[in-house]
Amino acid sequence: MNDPFLEKHIQDVPDFPKPGIVFKDISPLLASHEARNKMTETLVAHYRDKNIDVVVGIESRGFLFGMLIANALNAKFVMIRKPGKLPGDLIEQSYQLEYGTDTIEIQQDAVNPNDRVLIHDDVLATGGTAAAAHSLLSKMDAQIIGYSFVIELDFLAGREKLPSSEIHSALHY
Ligand code: AMP
């Protein structure tokens, strides 16, 4: 069951960014110090004893709690970004969208082989983005210990697309 206090800080926005989508706006969660802390604690609890070396946040809302989780776990924080945003030598991964494809990138030296990695994003929807992040990190020979999400949209069954690892989401819809 969802924690009512945390749930109260998620705003449903119908028909955004297009008709038929109910956008989960985490702005109220970001605005409240108490809610931010509680969310971070909830996400971190599953990984405290897992010796996580690197928390990888997915652009762009994955950077927000990703950074807080990394702080709490005394881990490194690394960004996965859309093309054209990161400088230096990069590794990229393309993935299928409903119409067309998308690509994500990471800096080549950001994750070392065998690093114990936690993948974080704000919302797990269809799972395409997080699965692509897993493929990207696998190319770097990282050990993917698990995933964490602020919100999981259960009805889209995104977790079935994710290569097996622990998956923890603070709120389910
Ligand atoms: P997916 O690849 O389908 O799992 O989509 C995940 C990405 O899309 C995440 O980075 C989310 O930020 C964003 N996203 C998808 N659906 C929603 C939604 N209903 N509300 C807010 N963000 C969403």
Side-chain angles (χ1 to χ4, degrees):
M1 211 193 87
N2 287 344
D3 178 292
F5 175 74
L6 290 178
E7 199 168 44
K8 203 173 76 183
H9 289 84
I10 305 295
Q11 175 86 46
D12 278 2
V13 186
D15 298 317
F16 182 86
K18 38 184 183 182
I21 305 281
V22 179
F23 186 79
K24 296 288 185 191
D25 184 11
I26 61 168
S27 300
L29 186 62
L30 300 177
S32 158
H33 175 246
E34 206 184 345
R36 259 189 343 253
N37 271 351
K38 186 158 192 190
M39 175 55 71
T40 306
E41 272 306 308
T42 303
L43 295 173
V44 160
H46 303 286
Y47 294 102
R48 255 198 215 291
D49 306 325
K50 298 276 159 65
N51 297 316
I52 300 294
D53 298 307
V54 184
V55 177
V56 172
I58 304 176
E59 178 158 0
S60 56
R61 289 185 302 270
F63 298 165
L64 301 164
F65 283 97
M67 178 71 100
L68 294 175
I69 295 167
N71 263 6
L73 294 177
N74 294 323
K76 182 174 175 178
F77 178 74
V78 168
M79 297 180 283
I80 282 184
R81 300 208 67 177
K82 301 275 164 60
K85 305 276 191 185
L86 287 171
D89 292 331
L90 306 175
I91 301 183
E92 63 170 46
Q93 179 69 45
S94 293
Y95 60 102
Q96 204 65 39
L97 297 175
E98 199 180 351
Y99 305 103
T101 60
D102 218 338
T103 301
I104 50 174
E105 297 181 336
I106 193 169
Q107 286 174 322
Q108 196 171 35
D109 58 2
V111 175
N112 295 313
N114 296 319
D115 271 354
R116 294 172 64 82
V117 172
L118 171 61
I119 296 173
H120 171 76
D121 203 357
D122 67 331
V123 175
L124 174 61
T126 66
T129 313
H134 188 287
S135 302
L136 185 58
L137 290 158
S138 298
K139 284 183 186 170
M140 306 172 94
D141 296 321
Q143 292 185 62
I144 293 102
I145 303 304
Y147 306 83
S148 84
F149 302 95
V150 173
I151 294 165
E152 179 169 347
L153 304 179
D154 295 340
F155 55 93
L156 293 175
R159 64 169 57 217
E160 286 167 24
K161 260 206 208 129
L162 303 184
S164 69
S165 244
E166 283 188 43
I167 306 169
H168 296 287
S169 306
L171 295 167
H172 290 262
Y173 293 91

